[in-house]
Amino acid sequence: EVDLEVYYDEEHPYNIERMMDGMKNSLSYYTNSFGPFQNKVLRIVEFPRWATYAQSFPTTIPFSESIGFIANVRDKKDDIDYPYWVTCHETAHQWWAHQVIGGDVQGSVMLSEAFSQYSSVKVMEKKFGDSMVGKFLKNELSSYVTGRNYENREEQPLYLVENQQYIHYNKGAIVMYGMADMIGGKAMNKAISDFLNVTKFQERPYTNTVEFLGYLEKETPDSLKYLIDDWYKKITLYDNSVTNMKLTKPTDDDKQYTVDFDVSVAKMYDDGKGVYSNTTMDDWVEVAVLGKKFVNGKAKEIPLYIEKVKIKDGKQHFSIKTDKKPEKIGVDPYYKLIDKNPFDNIISINGSATQEMIVAGRTN
């Protein structure tokens, strides 16, 4: 049992329940997935908005009023519940930085921030579902590709990150969650848990990302080990798009909708200084047909068909049948890959792109 407390200005009561739920759900998930919480109390303390951050100390999380306590989360608009998410992220630091901490070497911040990002996204997934996680990861992707534009030295691969926030926060969330999606959440959490059990509360010499990748490799099937190199050890980008979509409505002979469309894919590596080299694409990528259903009078996006398929370079044709009316077609619809141009990942049935442009960053 853990005592949970929130200290706040009585004029800012708006999101206290969200924060309490965040602490409860996080403690439950992290304890069951990784290992026990080491203290008997966890508290959030509001401070004025002269600064806009939250930070996790042992048992205590100072939390700015401006990033949670006075937030207006519009549930009917499907806003990302960021007071809840920030709470989950900071609670995760009770494991990642207060149980496991990396040595003063390249990549160590991945073990605190990318791990906390992954942990919090998994709690969000459990509460809000894939669609909300996709929206969150899309924002992370936007921040990552924008951050690449402002890199004035050299971008590092994730496992060698040097306190570059657009990498360890934004890219870290996508890579860690995407890896779990590919190998399975249980396998990913076992790798993390085994790593935690060996390295928690250790004294010098401290651990590092190479040691963690050894545990991850043990839980990764041979057919997916290429992801450890591509996503952690290299700077890998994809260029995936949906084109040439056609919808055939139900007829007397065929009661289902039929969607025909082409998917175009490519993969490349960046040397860290903005010079790309093309490589062979033969990767697993999600392809989806999306529809909608109404829950409590609110339209909610749902997959009518979603499947991981092995896709090679160039275009591939798909013909998918669904019982319900399709609304959108997507390749990597929940943004689990680092895509140079997510603008064309999803198109609506009328053929128009549905996502705002995100600047890809770093061009030749």
Side-chain angles (χ1 to χ4, degrees), residues 145-162:
V145 296
T146 300
R148 302 180 79 233
N149 280 334
Y150 294 96
E151 178 59 66
N152 57 15
R153 296 184 66 185
E154 182 176 350
E155 180 177 354
Q156 296 294 328
L158 180 59
Y159 90 119
L160 295 178
V161 61
E162 298 178 338

Side-chain angles (χ1 to χ4, degrees), residues 138-150 237 276 338-343 355-363:
K138 176 170 152 297
N139 286 345
E140 296 300 290
L141 179 57
S142 176
S143 296
Y144 168 66
V145 296
T146 300
R148 302 180 79 233
N149 280 334
Y150 294 96
L237 299 104
Y276 295 117
I338 305 293
D339 199 312
K340 284 188 65 187
N341 179 21
F343 179 65
Q355 305 294 333
E356 64 267 23
M357 176 64 78
I358 300 177
V359 179
R362 289 218 160 191
T363 57

Side-chain angles (χ1 to χ4, degrees), residues 84-103:
Y84 181 87
W85 168 71
V86 172
T87 299
C88 297
H89 176 95
E90 297 305 330
T91 301
H93 277 305
Q94 298 294 315
W95 279 256
W96 317 121
H98 294 308
Q99 292 191 34
V100 173
I101 188 166

Side-chain angles (χ1 to χ4, degrees), residues 124-241:
M124 286 179 63
E125 175 190 58
K126 198 173 182 68
K127 182 175 177 66
F128 299 111
D130 290 340
S131 180
M132 183 62 72
V133 168
K135 184 181 291 189
F136 178 83
L137 293 179
K138 176 170 152 297
N139 286 345
E140 296 300 290
L141 179 57
S142 176
S143 296
Y144 168 66
V145 296
T146 300
R148 302 180 79 233
N149 280 334
Y150 294 96
E151 178 59 66
N152 57 15
R153 296 184 66 185
E154 182 176 350
E155 180 177 354
Q156 296 294 328
L158 180 59
Y159 90 119
L160 295 178
V161 61
E162 298 178 338
N163 201 29
Q164 296 154 299
Q165 292 192 14
Y166 71 97
I167 300 175
H168 62 245
Y169 281 121
N170 308 126
K171 182 180 180 178
I174 299 168
V175 168
M176 294 289 288
Y177 182 82
M179 194 73 191
D181 183 70
M182 294 296 286
I183 70 174
K186 289 185 178 179
M188 185 67 165
N189 288 351
K190 185 177 188 305
I192 293 173
S193 177
D194 289 347
F195 173 65
L196 170 76
N197 287 334
V198 171
T199 61
K200 64 183 178 181
F201 308 125
Q202 70 183 177
E203 299 180 357
R204 293 184 179 88
Y206 297 113
T207 188
N208 54 56
T209 53
V210 174
E211 186 174 4
F212 166 68
L213 292 181
Y215 286 94
L216 181 59
E217 188 171 5
K218 291 178 183 178
E219 302 303 324
T220 301
D222 289 343
S223 62
L224 295 175
K225 281 187 167 62
Y226 73 92
L227 295 176
I228 296 176
D229 282 333
D230 278 357
W231 292 2
Y232 289 90
K233 297 183 179 181
K234 298 178 181 178
I235 303 170
T236 304
L237 299 104
Y238 298 83
D239 190 5
N240 305 324
S241 62

